[in-house]
Amino acid sequence: MLRLDVERLEESWQGQRDDRLELLRRLVDTNSHFDNLPGIDAERAILRPVFEELGFVVEELLITPADSPRPRAAHLVARRAGRPGARKAMLIAHLDTVFPADEGPSTLRVDGDLLHGPGVGDIKGGVVTILTAAALLADQGRLDDLELLVALNSDEEVGSHSSRGLLRELAAPCDLALGFEPAFHRPEESVERHSIIQHVIRRKGCGREFFHLRGVAAHSGGAHDKGASAIEALARKVVDVHALTDYDSGVTTNVGLVSGGRSVNTVAPVAAGEIDFRFATAETGEATARAIKDILQREENVNAELGRAVTCELEPGGGVLWPTLEPTSESEVLSRTVCEATADLGWEAEPIARGGASDAANAAAVGTPAICGLGPVTHGIHTSTEHSSIPALRAASLIAAEVLARLSEPPAQG
């Protein structure tokens, strides 16, 4: 049975639809690549007054990461008190995206019901879903039924180095956490036409390593035997790191970025790379992290005659960055609530597992029940074809509002 009046819910959505699409346009049109700190600052400036209009108290927290030398922008934390004794819900999204500013203009393109643009689903559509759901609840006088805490960090796409501790601290006193990463559809459906909406109850954990190799420069024609190629050492390490992939155990490794060399006619004195690895259990995650470090820190004698090996320096902040998100009896209650609310609104929900990491796992790491994938259904995430749709944004917003209304009620005692 619906907790919200469905006719008023639809009227409220129609009444704010254009404003929410305009907000999404402003967000997508603002490049917020993880290294574009002014862009992320601009994103916060857009969002702050929208949260404040709904009665949220907003903080912007600039935290220097203890385990990474890379500077990051401030995070946005929005709090709204509820009625006395209200349950406390944490809503999680992020400000940063993976799309560099030099890849082209960051613009929202509307094609009928389709919404195209960098970050339109991951994760700007998720942020708009949070705000829309809050407004829908306010229109029915239900926004005070929960104490809401919204966390939008600025470094999710690069490891949550400066926000991991904050997210766990914020999550610890909460009764539940919902992540607004994109939802998914089945292969035979599409972002604009889907009857089944998939949310995420299990995610792989994720780790990263950033490394620099130092070899010995030499002229590639006149003194080749006096050089030690950092690029050759890099190639050996790439092969060995990729060999750690084991689909049966859920481990994947990917050297996704490499660079190196001085010139085409110089034995390469330097090389560098970045590794992403995923894992299904904490044990395989730690084992994979150790194995990768062993490979990277191994000296490579690419020129035995020279007697000088290629050496490696690891950047701070590597290793396991996100834990796995595992179902628990309490998170399964959240998933059932999503399924029931979705069905009562006329769609079908399906809980799934995904390989992508999420900061919902950081909430779960401190014992707070958490699920993810409550943003709009999106396709082509992290690619030039990323797209969502107006129907997907509508569905996600209505479902989120109804789910929050149901979760405001004390859980049934078994």
mmCIF file of all heavy atoms in Angstrom, residues 244-278:
data_model
loop_
_atom_site.group_PDB
_atom_site.id
_atom_site.type_symbol
_atom_site.label_atom_id
_atom_site.label_comp_id
_atom_site.label_asym_id
_atom_site.label_seq_id
_atom_site.Cartn_x
_atom_site.Cartn_y
_atom_site.Cartn_z
ATOM 1 N N LEU A 244 47.003 -11.618 -12.869
ATOM 2 C CA LEU A 244 46.328 -11.844 -11.583
ATOM 3 C C LEU A 244 44.812 -11.935 -11.741
ATOM 4 O O LEU A 244 44.121 -12.372 -10.820
ATOM 5 C CB LEU A 244 46.662 -10.721 -10.593
ATOM 6 C CG LEU A 244 48.137 -10.580 -10.187
ATOM 7 C CD1 LEU A 244 48.312 -9.334 -9.330
ATOM 8 C CD2 LEU A 244 48.605 -11.818 -9.430
ATOM 9 N N THR A 245 44.290 -11.506 -12.882
ATOM 10 C CA THR A 245 42.847 -11.586 -13.113
ATOM 11 C C THR A 245 42.377 -13.035 -13.023
ATOM 12 O O THR A 245 42.972 -13.935 -13.612
ATOM 13 C CB THR A 245 42.485 -11.000 -14.492
ATOM 14 O OG1 THR A 245 42.711 -9.591 -14.470
ATOM 15 C CG2 THR A 245 41.034 -11.275 -14.849
ATOM 16 N N ASP A 246 41.308 -13.218 -12.250
ATOM 17 C CA ASP A 246 40.740 -14.561 -12.064
ATOM 18 C C ASP A 246 39.224 -14.401 -11.999
ATOM 19 O O ASP A 246 38.667 -14.060 -10.963
ATOM 20 C CB ASP A 246 41.271 -15.189 -10.767
ATOM 21 C CG ASP A 246 40.746 -16.595 -10.522
ATOM 22 O OD1 ASP A 246 39.836 -17.028 -11.260
ATOM 23 O OD2 ASP A 246 41.223 -17.246 -9.579
ATOM 24 N N TYR A 247 38.571 -14.617 -13.127
ATOM 25 C CA TYR A 247 37.128 -14.401 -13.182
ATOM 26 C C TYR A 247 36.369 -15.299 -12.217
ATOM 27 O O TYR A 247 35.340 -14.890 -11.659
ATOM 28 C CB TYR A 247 36.616 -14.613 -14.616
ATOM 29 C CG TYR A 247 37.147 -13.617 -15.609
ATOM 30 C CD1 TYR A 247 37.796 -14.038 -16.768
ATOM 31 C CD2 TYR A 247 37.026 -12.245 -15.402
ATOM 32 C CE1 TYR A 247 38.291 -13.134 -17.691
ATOM 33 C CE2 TYR A 247 37.520 -11.331 -16.307
ATOM 34 C CZ TYR A 247 38.148 -11.773 -17.452
ATOM 35 O OH TYR A 247 38.644 -10.877 -18.364
ATOM 36 N N ASP A 248 36.851 -16.507 -12.008
ATOM 37 C CA ASP A 248 36.147 -17.439 -11.125
ATOM 38 C C ASP A 248 36.085 -16.920 -9.686
ATOM 39 O O ASP A 248 35.100 -17.135 -8.978
ATOM 40 C CB ASP A 248 36.819 -18.819 -11.143
ATOM 41 C CG ASP A 248 36.619 -19.539 -12.459
ATOM 42 O OD1 ASP A 248 35.674 -19.178 -13.190
ATOM 43 O OD2 ASP A 248 37.410 -20.445 -12.768
ATOM 44 N N SER A 249 37.138 -16.240 -9.247
ATOM 45 C CA SER A 249 37.139 -15.721 -7.874
ATOM 46 C C SER A 249 36.691 -14.265 -7.805
ATOM 47 O O SER A 249 36.651 -13.666 -6.738
ATOM 48 C CB SER A 249 38.532 -15.846 -7.258
ATOM 49 O OG SER A 249 39.458 -15.010 -7.939
ATOM 50 N N GLY A 250 36.362 -13.682 -8.974
ATOM 51 C CA GLY A 250 35.861 -12.314 -8.988
ATOM 52 C C GLY A 250 36.932 -11.254 -8.953
ATOM 53 O O GLY A 250 36.638 -10.086 -8.661
ATOM 54 N N VAL A 251 38.177 -11.604 -9.269
ATOM 55 C CA VAL A 251 39.284 -10.649 -9.254
ATOM 56 C C VAL A 251 39.578 -10.191 -10.680
ATOM 57 O O VAL A 251 39.740 -11.023 -11.580
ATOM 58 C CB VAL A 251 40.556 -11.259 -8.638
ATOM 59 C CG1 VAL A 251 41.752 -10.337 -8.839
ATOM 60 C CG2 VAL A 251 40.350 -11.540 -7.162
ATOM 61 N N THR A 252 39.610 -8.878 -10.889
ATOM 62 C CA THR A 252 40.053 -8.327 -12.160
ATOM 63 C C THR A 252 41.102 -7.253 -11.901
ATOM 64 O O THR A 252 41.031 -6.520 -10.913
ATOM 65 C CB THR A 252 38.897 -7.707 -12.967
ATOM 66 O OG1 THR A 252 38.258 -6.692 -12.188
ATOM 67 C CG2 THR A 252 37.881 -8.768 -13.349
ATOM 68 N N THR A 253 42.092 -7.186 -12.784
ATOM 69 C CA THR A 253 43.140 -6.169 -12.691
ATOM 70 C C THR A 253 43.253 -5.459 -14.025
ATOM 71 O O THR A 253 43.116 -6.085 -15.085
ATOM 72 C CB THR A 253 44.496 -6.807 -12.327
ATOM 73 O OG1 THR A 253 44.821 -7.796 -13.310
ATOM 74 C CG2 THR A 253 44.443 -7.456 -10.950
ATOM 75 N N ASN A 254 43.502 -4.158 -13.966
ATOM 76 C CA ASN A 254 43.575 -3.383 -15.200
ATOM 77 C C ASN A 254 44.583 -2.255 -15.050
ATOM 78 O O ASN A 254 44.411 -1.372 -14.207
ATOM 79 C CB ASN A 254 42.203 -2.789 -15.536
ATOM 80 C CG ASN A 254 42.236 -1.990 -16.830
ATOM 81 O OD1 ASN A 254 42.607 -2.525 -17.869
ATOM 82 N ND2 ASN A 254 41.846 -0.726 -16.774
ATOM 83 N N VAL A 255 45.657 -2.321 -15.841
ATOM 84 C CA VAL A 255 46.573 -1.186 -15.928
ATOM 85 C C VAL A 255 45.960 -0.242 -16.954
ATOM 86 O O VAL A 255 46.118 -0.430 -18.160
ATOM 87 C CB VAL A 255 47.992 -1.620 -16.331
ATOM 88 C CG1 VAL A 255 48.930 -0.409 -16.302
ATOM 89 C CG2 VAL A 255 48.503 -2.712 -15.407
ATOM 90 N N GLY A 256 45.240 0.749 -16.474
ATOM 91 C CA GLY A 256 44.413 1.561 -17.356
ATOM 92 C C GLY A 256 45.084 2.789 -17.926
ATOM 93 O O GLY A 256 44.642 3.319 -18.956
ATOM 94 N N LEU A 257 46.154 3.259 -17.272
ATOM 95 C CA LEU A 257 46.883 4.430 -17.760
ATOM 96 C C LEU A 257 48.378 4.155 -17.682
ATOM 97 O O LEU A 257 48.863 3.645 -16.663
ATOM 98 C CB LEU A 257 46.558 5.670 -16.913
ATOM 99 C CG LEU A 257 45.156 6.262 -17.029
ATOM 100 C CD1 LEU A 257 44.960 7.360 -15.994
ATOM 101 C CD2 LEU A 257 44.906 6.803 -18.428
ATOM 102 N N VAL A 258 49.093 4.463 -18.750
ATOM 103 C CA VAL A 258 50.551 4.334 -18.749
ATOM 104 C C VAL A 258 51.155 5.535 -19.455
ATOM 105 O O VAL A 258 50.517 6.175 -20.300
ATOM 106 C CB VAL A 258 51.036 3.037 -19.439
ATOM 107 C CG1 VAL A 258 50.568 1.808 -18.684
ATOM 108 C CG2 VAL A 258 50.568 2.983 -20.886
ATOM 109 N N SER A 259 52.382 5.835 -19.124
ATOM 110 C CA SER A 259 53.127 6.882 -19.816
ATOM 111 C C SER A 259 54.601 6.559 -19.663
ATOM 112 O O SER A 259 54.986 5.738 -18.823
ATOM 113 C CB SER A 259 52.828 8.267 -19.225
ATOM 114 O OG SER A 259 53.213 8.323 -17.861
ATOM 115 N N GLY A 260 55.443 7.188 -20.456
ATOM 116 C CA GLY A 260 56.862 6.932 -20.282
ATOM 117 C C GLY A 260 57.713 7.460 -21.419
ATOM 118 O O GLY A 260 57.219 7.872 -22.474
ATOM 119 N N GLY A 261 59.024 7.427 -21.169
ATOM 120 C CA GLY A 261 59.993 7.780 -22.194
ATOM 121 C C GLY A 261 60.338 9.253 -22.240
ATOM 122 O O GLY A 261 59.659 10.103 -21.653
ATOM 123 N N ARG A 262 61.442 9.534 -22.937
ATOM 124 C CA ARG A 262 61.895 10.910 -23.139
ATOM 125 C C ARG A 262 61.806 11.293 -24.607
ATOM 126 O O ARG A 262 61.349 12.366 -24.955
ATOM 127 C CB ARG A 262 63.320 11.058 -22.633
ATOM 128 C CG ARG A 262 63.956 12.415 -22.884
ATOM 129 C CD ARG A 262 65.348 12.484 -22.277
ATOM 130 N NE ARG A 262 65.285 12.406 -20.820
ATOM 131 C CZ ARG A 262 66.339 12.140 -20.053
ATOM 132 N NH1 ARG A 262 67.522 11.884 -20.621
ATOM 133 N NH2 ARG A 262 66.226 12.097 -18.747
ATOM 134 N N SER A 263 62.263 10.403 -25.478
ATOM 135 C CA SER A 263 62.167 10.627 -26.921
ATOM 136 C C SER A 263 62.256 9.271 -27.595
ATOM 137 O O SER A 263 62.667 8.272 -26.988
ATOM 138 C CB SER A 263 63.286 11.557 -27.410
ATOM 139 O OG SER A 263 64.551 10.902 -27.341
ATOM 140 N N VAL A 264 61.907 9.229 -28.876
ATOM 141 C CA VAL A 264 61.886 7.955 -29.572
ATOM 142 C C VAL A 264 63.285 7.365 -29.725
ATOM 143 O O VAL A 264 63.447 6.144 -29.859
ATOM 144 C CB VAL A 264 61.189 8.111 -30.942
ATOM 145 C CG1 VAL A 264 62.044 8.938 -31.895
ATOM 146 C CG2 VAL A 264 60.831 6.761 -31.537
ATOM 147 N N ASN A 265 64.305 8.203 -29.680
ATOM 148 C CA ASN A 265 65.668 7.693 -29.855
ATOM 149 C C ASN A 265 66.454 7.690 -28.541
ATOM 150 O O ASN A 265 67.682 7.778 -28.541
ATOM 151 C CB ASN A 265 66.413 8.490 -30.927
ATOM 152 C CG ASN A 265 66.487 9.978 -30.597
ATOM 153 O OD1 ASN A 265 65.783 10.446 -29.711
ATOM 154 N ND2 ASN A 265 67.328 10.697 -31.327
ATOM 155 N N THR A 266 65.721 7.588 -27.421
ATOM 156 C CA THR A 266 66.346 7.472 -26.110
ATOM 157 C C THR A 266 65.808 6.235 -25.397
ATOM 158 O O THR A 266 64.583 6.024 -25.356
ATOM 159 C CB THR A 266 66.046 8.703 -25.229
ATOM 160 O OG1 THR A 266 66.504 9.878 -25.891
ATOM 161 C CG2 THR A 266 66.712 8.584 -23.873
ATOM 162 N N VAL A 267 66.701 5.386 -24.861
ATOM 163 C CA VAL A 267 66.251 4.301 -23.987
ATOM 164 C C VAL A 267 65.520 4.953 -22.812
ATOM 165 O O VAL A 267 66.071 5.836 -22.140
ATOM 166 C CB VAL A 267 67.442 3.460 -23.485
ATOM 167 C CG1 VAL A 267 66.965 2.403 -22.494
ATOM 168 C CG2 VAL A 267 68.161 2.813 -24.662
ATOM 169 N N ALA A 268 64.285 4.530 -22.588
ATOM 170 C CA ALA A 268 63.385 5.261 -21.682
ATOM 171 C C ALA A 268 63.888 5.275 -20.237
ATOM 172 O O ALA A 268 63.996 4.209 -19.613
ATOM 173 C CB ALA A 268 61.998 4.646 -21.729
ATOM 174 N N PRO A 269 64.139 6.461 -19.681
ATOM 175 C CA PRO A 269 64.588 6.517 -18.294
ATOM 176 C C PRO A 269 63.440 6.499 -17.293
ATOM 177 O O PRO A 269 63.658 6.262 -16.103
ATOM 178 C CB PRO A 269 65.335 7.847 -18.221
ATOM 179 C CG PRO A 269 64.649 8.715 -19.224
ATOM 180 C CD PRO A 269 64.219 7.788 -20.338
ATOM 181 N N VAL A 270 62.227 6.797 -17.747
ATOM 182 C CA VAL A 270 61.085 6.858 -16.826
ATOM 183 C C VAL A 270 59.869 6.224 -17.479
ATOM 184 O O VAL A 270 59.732 6.181 -18.703
ATOM 185 C CB VAL A 270 60.755 8.312 -16.420
ATOM 186 C CG1 VAL A 270 61.860 8.921 -15.571
ATOM 187 C CG2 VAL A 270 60.471 9.169 -17.653
ATOM 188 N N ALA A 271 58.971 5.760 -16.616
ATOM 189 C CA ALA A 271 57.652 5.277 -17.033
ATOM 190 C C ALA A 271 56.750 5.333 -15.816
ATOM 191 O O ALA A 271 57.218 5.409 -14.674
ATOM 192 C CB ALA A 271 57.722 3.854 -17.594
ATOM 193 N N ALA A 272 55.455 5.320 -16.053
ATOM 194 C CA ALA A 272 54.493 5.397 -14.944
ATOM 195 C C ALA A 272 53.211 4.699 -15.342
ATOM 196 O O ALA A 272 52.940 4.495 -16.541
ATOM 197 C CB ALA A 272 54.229 6.855 -14.572
ATOM 198 N N GLY A 273 52.430 4.338 -14.367
ATOM 199 C CA GLY A 273 51.167 3.685 -14.646
ATOM 200 C C GLY A 273 50.208 3.779 -13.483
ATOM 201 O O GLY A 273 50.582 4.119 -12.355
ATOM 202 N N GLU A 274 48.945 3.504 -13.777
ATOM 203 C CA GLU A 274 47.901 3.469 -12.755
ATOM 204 C C GLU A 274 47.114 2.171 -12.925
ATOM 205 O O GLU A 274 46.758 1.794 -14.043
ATOM 206 C CB GLU A 274 46.972 4.671 -12.859
ATOM 207 C CG GLU A 274 47.690 5.997 -12.661
ATOM 208 C CD GLU A 274 46.748 7.188 -12.597
ATOM 209 O OE1 GLU A 274 45.538 6.969 -12.352
ATOM 210 O OE2 GLU A 274 47.219 8.326 -12.778
ATOM 211 N N ILE A 275 46.868 1.519 -11.806
ATOM 212 C CA ILE A 275 46.216 0.205 -11.798
ATOM 213 C C ILE A 275 44.913 0.293 -11.038
ATOM 214 O O ILE A 275 44.837 0.888 -9.963
ATOM 215 C CB ILE A 275 47.133 -0.841 -11.136
ATOM 216 C CG1 ILE A 275 48.445 -0.975 -11.884
ATOM 217 C CG2 ILE A 275 46.422 -2.196 -11.035
ATOM 218 C CD1 ILE A 275 49.483 -1.803 -11.141
ATOM 219 N N ASP A 276 43.894 -0.321 -11.599
ATOM 220 C CA ASP A 276 42.608 -0.512 -10.913
ATOM 221 C C ASP A 276 42.422 -2.010 -10.723
ATOM 222 O O ASP A 276 42.648 -2.787 -11.657
ATOM 223 C CB ASP A 276 41.478 0.060 -11.777
ATOM 224 C CG ASP A 276 40.087 -0.227 -11.230
ATOM 225 O OD1 ASP A 276 39.604 -1.373 -11.380
ATOM 226 O OD2 ASP A 276 39.483 0.697 -10.689
ATOM 227 N N PHE A 277 42.043 -2.419 -9.513
ATOM 228 C CA PHE A 277 41.721 -3.834 -9.315
ATOM 229 C C PHE A 277 40.430 -3.981 -8.531
ATOM 230 O O PHE A 277 40.088 -3.156 -7.691
ATOM 231 C CB PHE A 277 42.874 -4.601 -8.655
ATOM 232 C CG PHE A 277 43.272 -4.141 -7.266
ATOM 233 C CD1 PHE A 277 42.790 -4.778 -6.127
ATOM 234 C CD2 PHE A 277 44.165 -3.097 -7.102
ATOM 235 C CE1 PHE A 277 43.167 -4.372 -4.851
ATOM 236 C CE2 PHE A 277 44.566 -2.684 -5.837
ATOM 237 C CZ PHE A 277 44.067 -3.320 -4.709
ATOM 238 N N ARG A 278 39.686 -5.014 -8.864
ATOM 239 C CA ARG A 278 38.381 -5.286 -8.256
ATOM 240 C C ARG A 278 38.388 -6.681 -7.644
ATOM 241 O O ARG A 278 39.082 -7.575 -8.117
ATOM 242 C CB ARG A 278 37.262 -5.193 -9.302
ATOM 243 C CG ARG A 278 37.262 -3.899 -10.122
ATOM 244 C CD ARG A 278 36.885 -2.709 -9.304
ATOM 245 N NE ARG A 278 37.113 -1.456 -10.019
ATOM 246 C CZ ARG A 278 36.192 -0.513 -10.214
ATOM 247 N NH1 ARG A 278 34.961 -0.695 -9.754
ATOM 248 N NH2 ARG A 278 36.495 0.608 -10.845
#
